[in-house]
Amino acid sequence: MKSYIFPGQGAQFIGMGKDLYEHSSSAKDLFERANEILGFRITDIMFSGTDEDLKQTNVTQPAIFLHSVILAKELKSNFNPDMVAGHSLGEFSALVAAEALSFEDGLRLVSARANAMQKACEIQPSTMAAILGLDDFTVEDICQRVSDVVVPANYNCPGQLVISGSIEGVDKACELLLAAGAKRALKLNVGGAFHSPLMELARVELQAAIENTEIKEPICPIYQNIDAKPYKDVPSIKHNLIAQLTGAVRWTQTIEKMLHDGATSFVEVGPGNVLQGLVKKVDRTVETSSATV
């Protein structure tokens, strides 16, 4: 069974999507449509901007979404998923690729999500940190013992869990986790505490946008971040998309569940190959590749 997986924030690089734009008129049309919808030329930043410009949340998220979705569309009949999943932002890309969301509505939601998250970050300074070399239970237990806000946010692969919260909470948790035997506690260069209670303002804002957007039944099950389970029914998909902003990305559990359900290969659709590396940490024998046209 063929699984297609879609990356999230952090996979971006200058030049992403330029080959699609230059070699396919249908891809070029979609990029230009995106420039119109967003009200600025995101393609200029993606193809020849600076890393600093591309790193802004309101640019990064739509940029990765566009690269992933347009690449999936260019695969045409070669895109034949038995199941899909996306890491955080990638869940929106997966829904468009699986024909549950239109290209335009998907882009508008991603842009609204990015702007809402940016706003929440500005209201309260916050951060994230990658914890390497500890089991999930120990990380969860220590986060619960810290009085400031800090929670497990991204279960990326066995031995790699990202925590998220207030600057004080993350700093204190890192100190305790290193004392408990973590190999590294690496503060991430991100705008704020994604997938934590500090994104509540963004969740409320995005909830209204999601509830007012038409989502159809996808062509195959989508394994959603919030609980790593497969869904096709629209009310559950909407509920899980909303919950995702303040809930954890259970990527390790998602890959385990997809493998359990019969996945035999994983194709990463979008910039970079980070997700393939995470899949290999779960099962080094499974076949992984990058989507190419």
Side-chain angles (χ1 to χ4, degrees), residues 32-238:
E32 289 299 341
R33 178 83 183 105
N35 287 334
E36 286 172 31
I37 290 169
L38 294 171
F40 66 97
R41 291 195 61 80
I42 193 169
T43 49
D44 290 351
I45 302 173
M46 289 172 69
F47 303 161
S48 55
T50 65
D51 286 330
E52 198 57 41
D53 288 338
L54 186 58
K55 206 170 66 182
Q56 303 304 312
T57 295
N58 65 330
V59 175
T60 310
Q61 293 195 21
I64 293 168
F65 168 86
L66 287 172
H67 187 267
S68 296
V69 166
I70 294 172
L71 176 54
K73 287 184 180 296
E74 287 299 302
L75 294 173
K76 297 186 172 72
S77 62
N78 289 327
F79 182 73
N80 47 0
D82 294 302
M83 48 181 85
V84 294
H87 190 288
S88 189
L89 154 75
E91 200 159 272
F92 291 82
S93 310
L95 283 167
V96 175
E99 299 176 25
L101 256 177
S102 72
F103 173 78
E104 291 82 2
D105 284 344
L107 179 58
R108 288 189 187 99
L109 280 181
V110 165
S111 181
R113 179 183 190 267
N115 289 326
M117 289 169 82
Q118 187 65 43
K119 210 184 296 178
C121 293
E122 287 163 7
I123 286 169
Q124 180 170 0
S126 51
T127 192
M128 302 176 81
I131 309 303
L132 307 182
L134 270 188
D135 63 280
D136 293 348
F137 176 80
T138 303
V139 179
E140 291 162 350
D141 182 53
I142 286 173
C143 283
Q144 284 182 339
R145 284 197 264 136
V146 174
S147 55
D148 289 292
V149 177
V150 60
V151 295
N154 295 353
Y155 292 78
N156 282 335
C157 65
Q160 187 193 124
L161 210 171
V162 174
I163 61 173
S164 181
S166 67
I167 290 167
E168 299 78 11
V170 170
D171 284 346
K172 182 63 180 169
C174 285
E175 188 185 307
L176 293 171
L177 289 160
L178 285 168
K183 287 179 186 167
R184 290 186 77 188
L186 186 67
K187 292 278 282 286
L188 302 182
N189 185 15
V190 292
F194 304 145
H195 301 289
S196 83
L198 298 181
M199 286 291 119
E200 176 59 22
L201 186 76
R203 188 195 66 78
V204 171
E205 206 169 303
L206 191 66
Q207 179 170 352
I210 287 172
E211 286 174 350
N212 292 319
T213 298
E214 184 190 8
I215 295 182
K216 293 182 282 200
E217 186 178 303
I219 58 172
C220 66
I222 175 165
Y223 287 68
Q224 291 193 274
N225 292 176
I226 198 70
D227 61 5
K229 292 177 183 172
Y231 290 92
K232 283 189 84 178
D233 69 291
V234 173
S236 295
I237 287 171
K238 285 191 170 188

Side-chain angles (χ1 to χ4, degrees), residues 16-43:
M16 57 190 278
K18 192 177 181 184
D19 53 336
L20 294 169
Y21 185 96
E22 289 177 344
H23 296 115
S24 164
S25 59
S26 55
K28 183 177 180 178
D29 288 345
L30 286 173
F31 277 118
E32 289 299 341
R33 178 83 183 105
N35 287 334
E36 286 172 31
I37 290 169
L38 294 171
F40 66 97
R41 291 195 61 80
I42 193 169
T43 49

Side-chain angles (χ1 to χ4, degrees), residues 1-4 80-83 221 223 258 261-266:
M1 293 178 77
K2 207 166 191 178
S3 305
Y4 288 79
N80 47 0
D82 294 302
M83 48 181 85
Y223 287 68
M258 292 170 97
D261 290 351
T264 52
S265 67
F266 290 84

